[in-house]
Short mmCIF file of all heavy atoms in Angstrom, two decimals:
data_model
loop_
_atom_site.label_atom_id
_atom_site.label_comp_id
_atom_site.label_asym_id
_atom_site.label_seq_id
_atom_site.Cartn_x
_atom_site.Cartn_y
_atom_site.Cartn_z
N LEU A 1241 -64.04 76.44 -24.38
CA LEU A 1241 -63.39 76.04 -25.60
C LEU A 1241 -64.13 76.45 -26.88
O LEU A 1241 -63.96 75.85 -27.90
CB LEU A 1241 -63.12 74.54 -25.60
CG LEU A 1241 -62.58 74.05 -24.26
CD1 LEU A 1241 -62.61 72.53 -24.17
CD2 LEU A 1241 -61.16 74.49 -24.08
N HIS A 1314 -54.49 65.74 -23.29
CA HIS A 1314 -55.88 65.27 -23.24
C HIS A 1314 -56.50 65.62 -24.59
O HIS A 1314 -55.81 66.16 -25.45
CB HIS A 1314 -56.63 65.89 -22.05
CG HIS A 1314 -56.75 67.40 -22.09
ND1 HIS A 1314 -55.68 68.25 -22.02
CD2 HIS A 1314 -57.85 68.23 -22.18
CE1 HIS A 1314 -56.06 69.51 -22.05
NE2 HIS A 1314 -57.38 69.50 -22.15
N HIS A 1316 -58.98 67.76 -25.59
CA HIS A 1316 -59.60 69.05 -25.92
C HIS A 1316 -58.86 69.73 -27.08
O HIS A 1316 -57.65 69.79 -27.11
CB HIS A 1316 -59.60 69.97 -24.73
CG HIS A 1316 -60.62 69.57 -23.73
ND1 HIS A 1316 -60.47 69.95 -22.39
CD2 HIS A 1316 -61.77 68.92 -23.83
CE1 HIS A 1316 -61.54 69.47 -21.72
NE2 HIS A 1316 -62.32 68.86 -22.55
N ASP A 1318 -58.26 72.70 -28.09
CA ASP A 1318 -57.29 73.79 -27.98
C ASP A 1318 -55.90 73.28 -27.61
O ASP A 1318 -54.93 74.06 -27.58
CB ASP A 1318 -57.75 74.88 -26.98
CG ASP A 1318 -57.99 74.34 -25.55
OD1 ASP A 1318 -58.43 73.16 -25.42
OD2 ASP A 1318 -57.72 75.09 -24.58
N HIS A 1319 -55.78 71.98 -27.48
CA HIS A 1319 -54.48 71.30 -27.27
C HIS A 1319 -54.13 70.34 -28.43
O HIS A 1319 -52.98 69.96 -28.55
CB HIS A 1319 -54.50 70.49 -25.99
CG HIS A 1319 -54.75 71.34 -24.74
ND1 HIS A 1319 -53.76 71.73 -23.87
CD2 HIS A 1319 -55.86 71.94 -24.28
CE1 HIS A 1319 -54.24 72.48 -22.94
NE2 HIS A 1319 -55.54 72.63 -23.19
N HIS A 1390 -59.65 66.61 -15.03
CA HIS A 1390 -60.04 67.62 -16.03
C HIS A 1390 -60.93 66.90 -17.06
O HIS A 1390 -61.98 67.40 -17.49
CB HIS A 1390 -58.79 68.21 -16.66
CG HIS A 1390 -59.09 69.16 -17.76
ND1 HIS A 1390 -59.81 70.31 -17.61
CD2 HIS A 1390 -58.74 69.13 -19.06
CE1 HIS A 1390 -59.93 70.95 -18.75
NE2 HIS A 1390 -59.28 70.25 -19.66
N ASP A 1409 -54.22 70.39 -18.58
CA ASP A 1409 -55.19 71.26 -17.93
C ASP A 1409 -55.59 70.79 -16.55
O ASP A 1409 -56.52 71.31 -15.94
CB ASP A 1409 -56.44 71.41 -18.79
CG ASP A 1409 -56.20 72.39 -19.98
OD1 ASP A 1409 -55.09 72.93 -20.05
OD2 ASP A 1409 -57.17 72.56 -20.76
N PHE A 1418 -61.31 74.80 -16.01
CA PHE A 1418 -62.41 74.12 -16.67
C PHE A 1418 -62.44 72.65 -16.27
O PHE A 1418 -61.40 71.98 -16.30
CB PHE A 1418 -62.22 74.27 -18.22
CG PHE A 1418 -63.32 73.61 -19.00
CD1 PHE A 1418 -64.67 73.86 -18.76
CD2 PHE A 1418 -63.00 72.70 -20.02
CE1 PHE A 1418 -65.64 73.25 -19.50
CE2 PHE A 1418 -63.97 72.06 -20.72
CZ PHE A 1418 -65.29 72.33 -20.50
ZN1 LIG B 2239 -58.73 71.09 -21.60
#
Side-chain angles (χ1 to χ4, degrees):
L1241 314 167
H1314 61 296
H1316 286 155
D1318 58 326
H1319 299 257
H1390 176 60
D1409 282 359
F1418 179 53

